[in-house]
Amino acid sequence: MDVTDGDLDNLSTDSTPKAYEIPTATSFHSITAAITANMSTSSLQAWFSNFTTTFKDRSYRSSAGSDASDWVFNQILDVSLSRPGRLRSTTQVEVKSFRHAWPQASVIARVDGQAGAAWELPAVILAAHIDCSNFFFLLPAVGDSDAMGAAVLFETYRAILTSGFSPKRPIEFHWYAGHAGGLLGSQKVASEYRRAGKPVLGVLAVEPRVGLAERSADDPILDTPLARFLERVVEDSQGEPWVDAECGFACSDHISWKKAGYDSARLANSTRFTEKVENPPANILRFAKLAVAFAVELSLF
């Protein structure tokens, strides 16, 4: 984590974010099933392939990286503009580009089923990152490096929006820039939410690569109500095994939110250094279904 700008260190004088009750069991299986019925591996594969082959690189400091974030923004905007008429009139959809001092922007999409309530209700946030680097020379700059996570978020957003589902609490989808530079984008976004007093129920960073979906705890502090609830989602939605896997460093953007005072967790596989240039495995669809279940359950609780 690059703390040069001190985004999160300068929050000590701000009020501590409110902690909200987190459910201990899943309850909305039929709603989740209706949404996930329209998800497909082919859609994930197509989005992932375009995202990883269209750009010369996805570095947050390059013009190609900026093009990549613009592409993500336009993909999300296209889905948002074509949303079905069966969405309730009170449902508001917002897509914005969160600009930084570097070329690549972060992208934020928000689905608010109670638009009149503005920012009074706490948001459920799903997150991934846009940028990619050749850190440790393990992969070229157009490789995976959470391209699967970005694809999962897109498919989750698409499925939720096209289903006509209107959440009780707002659901946000964040695609961050500057992850490889030290969680830069997520630090900027988390610090802005903290300073603005925006309520957040919980944040889930989604980082599938190769292997089963597991809950990853980076330190004992992440033994939180949100992390325990994520275990229930994994077990109840698909009967998958999970483990507490320590990555040993600030490996994912949920750490930025944790440092800002919000409950956060990470959904990943337990194998380190599996960032390979390859098509996502068929079981990436399971990550997308887990993301839907997580979002639906928390937004309706």
Side-chain angles (χ1 to χ4, degrees):
M1 175 180 280
D2 187 333
V3 297
T4 304
D5 290 347
D7 296 301
L8 301 177
D9 294 328
N10 295 331
L11 296 175
S12 57
T13 59
D14 297 339
S15 60
T16 302
K18 178 180 177 180
Y20 295 90
E21 182 182 1
I22 300 295
T24 57
T26 58
S27 304
F28 302 99
H29 305 133
S30 60
I31 296 176
T32 296
I35 296 173
T36 58
N38 295 319
M39 305 180 94
S40 70
T41 302
S42 60
S43 176
L44 281 162
Q45 290 270 7
W47 201 94
F48 175 88
S49 178
N50 286 332
F51 188 48
T52 55
T53 61
T54 301
F55 310 100
K56 181 181 67 174
D57 65 72
R58 298 202 314 277
S59 169
Y60 69 97
R61 294 177 293 187
S62 73
S63 59
S66 176
D67 291 341
S69 63
D70 289 344
W71 183 85
V72 170
F73 176 86
N74 288 324
Q75 291 282 305
I76 301 304
L77 187 61
D78 287 346
V79 171
S80 303
L81 292 175
S82 61
R83 65 186 187 272
R86 62 179 175 274
L87 276 176
R88 290 206 314 256
S89 59
T90 56
T91 300
Q92 178 176 306
V93 179
E94 178 185 7
V95 184
K96 69 176 183 178
S97 182
F98 191 105
R99 295 292 172 180
H100 301 289
W102 53 88
Q104 189 178 71
S106 297
V107 178
I108 297 176
R110 178 180 170 98
V111 181
D112 194 341
Q114 307 289 334
W119 287 94
E120 297 175 6
L121 299 174
V124 179
I125 297 176
L126 303 179
H129 63 88
I130 297 170
D131 62 310
C132 176
S133 73
N134 58 347
F135 188 55
F136 290 147
F137 305 101
L138 290 176
L139 69 163
V142 291
D144 178 3
S145 191
D146 205 31
M148 290 188 190
V152 163
L153 252 64
F154 175 80
E155 181 65 6
T156 302
Y157 180 74
R158 185 197 66 78
I160 285 178
L161 208 60
T162 58
S163 72
F165 172 68
S166 292
K168 176 181 175 182
R169 294 184 177 89
I171 304 173
E172 294 190 8
F173 301 81
H174 293 193
W175 290 263
Y176 297 125
H179 170 95
L183 313 185
L184 298 177
S186 58
Q187 288 189 71
K188 296 291 184 183
V189 174
S191 63
E192 179 178 285
Y193 275 51
R194 170 73 180 271
R195 289 193 174 92
K198 295 180 179 179
V200 174
L201 185 66
V203 180
L204 179 66
V206 182
E207 293 196 356
R209 291 187 179 94
V210 179
L212 296 176
E214 298 167 345
R215 185 181 71 77
S216 176
D218 292 80
D219 56 58
I221 299 176
L222 284 184
D223 183 14
T224 65
L226 188 71
R228 297 274 80 89
F229 175 67
L230 181 53
E231 294 171 6
R232 299 303 308 164
V233 172
V234 173
E235 293 170 355
D236 294 349
S237 297
Q238 299 177 19
E240 296 284 6
W242 57 265
V243 297
D244 288 325
E246 295 184 6
C247 67
F249 60 105
C251 60
S252 184
D253 292 294
H254 69 296
I255 296 296
S256 296
W257 289 92
K258 173 187 173 298
K259 191 171 182 181
Y262 298 99
D263 202 351
S264 65
R266 175 176 175 248
L267 183 66
N269 62 293
S270 60
T271 306
R272 286 186 68 184
F273 303 131
T274 56
E275 300 178 347
K276 301 176 182 178
V277 182
E278 59 183 47
N279 288 328
N283 68 8
I284 188 177
L285 183 60
R286 291 188 285 181
F287 280 85
K289 290 182 176 181
L290 286 170
V292 168
F294 181 88
V296 167
E297 292 287 344
L298 287 183
S299 69
L300 293 180
F301 174 69

